[in-house]
Amino acid sequence: MTTWNLQGTVNHLLICNGSSCKKNKGEEVAEAIEAEIDKQGAGSLIHTTVTRCNGRCSDACVVISYPDGVWYREMTPKSGKALVRRLLEGERLEENIVYTYEGQLTAASSKGTKGKKKK
């Protein structure tokens, strides 16, 4: 039984709440993102799913945005709110990007990962 109409959804945010992300305010990040979606009246545009571990514990708290396939690291409640606003403007939260998917998963150029691709 369908409980959520996803027609019209433009972004799906997967918010990690595995143990490392929980220790790094994962629950608060999820709450802040959901509150900002409500504040912006964007409930029909952005859907959220709280997940278990996404395997990037060193980047906790991790948020993954689809369909663009962007992985955001070290998210906080403040950056979670900023992410929602940026997505609604058609932009990315560049300072928190760790991976992007443009044909293949590629590491972001910050923190010494320039040019390295995840295998």
Side-chain angles (χ1 to χ4, degrees):
M1 180 173 144
T2 302
T3 59
W4 189 271
N5 182 354
L6 296 175
Q7 209 167 15
T9 300
V10 294
N11 283 98
H12 184 188
L13 299 179
L14 305 175
I15 307 162
C16 185
N17 265 231
S19 61
S20 293
C21 286
K22 272 190 176 184
K23 289 176 189 172
N24 286 283
K25 300 186 177 185
E27 291 180 38
E28 293 92 336
V29 170
E31 290 170 4
I33 287 172
E34 291 165 1
E36 189 65 23
I37 290 168
D38 287 342
K39 179 181 175 183
Q40 299 295 328
S44 64
L45 300 173
I46 302 175
H47 180 68
T48 62
T49 300
V50 174
T51 70
R52 295 286 212 154
C53 182
N54 288 314
R56 295 296 310 169
C57 299
S58 63
D59 294 322
C61 173
V62 173
V63 175
I64 307 166
S65 176
Y66 281 98
D68 50 340
V70 177
W71 291 54
Y72 295 95
R73 67 169 171 244
E74 300 171 357
M75 296 297 288
T76 64
K78 183 177 179 180
S79 61
K81 291 177 183 181
L83 175 61
V84 170
R85 292 190 299 272
R86 297 256 183 102
L87 291 174
L88 291 171
E89 295 168 355
E91 299 175 6
R92 298 175 173 179
L93 190 64
E94 298 291 336
E95 58 270 26
N96 290 81
I97 293 175
V98 66
Y99 290 106
T100 59
Y101 186 83
E102 294 172 24
Q104 64 183 353
L105 207 54
T106 305
S109 61
S110 64
K111 290 198 173 182
T113 58
K114 188 171 186 168
K116 294 182 183 176
K117 293 181 181 175
K118 185 178 177 185
K119 295 182 181 190

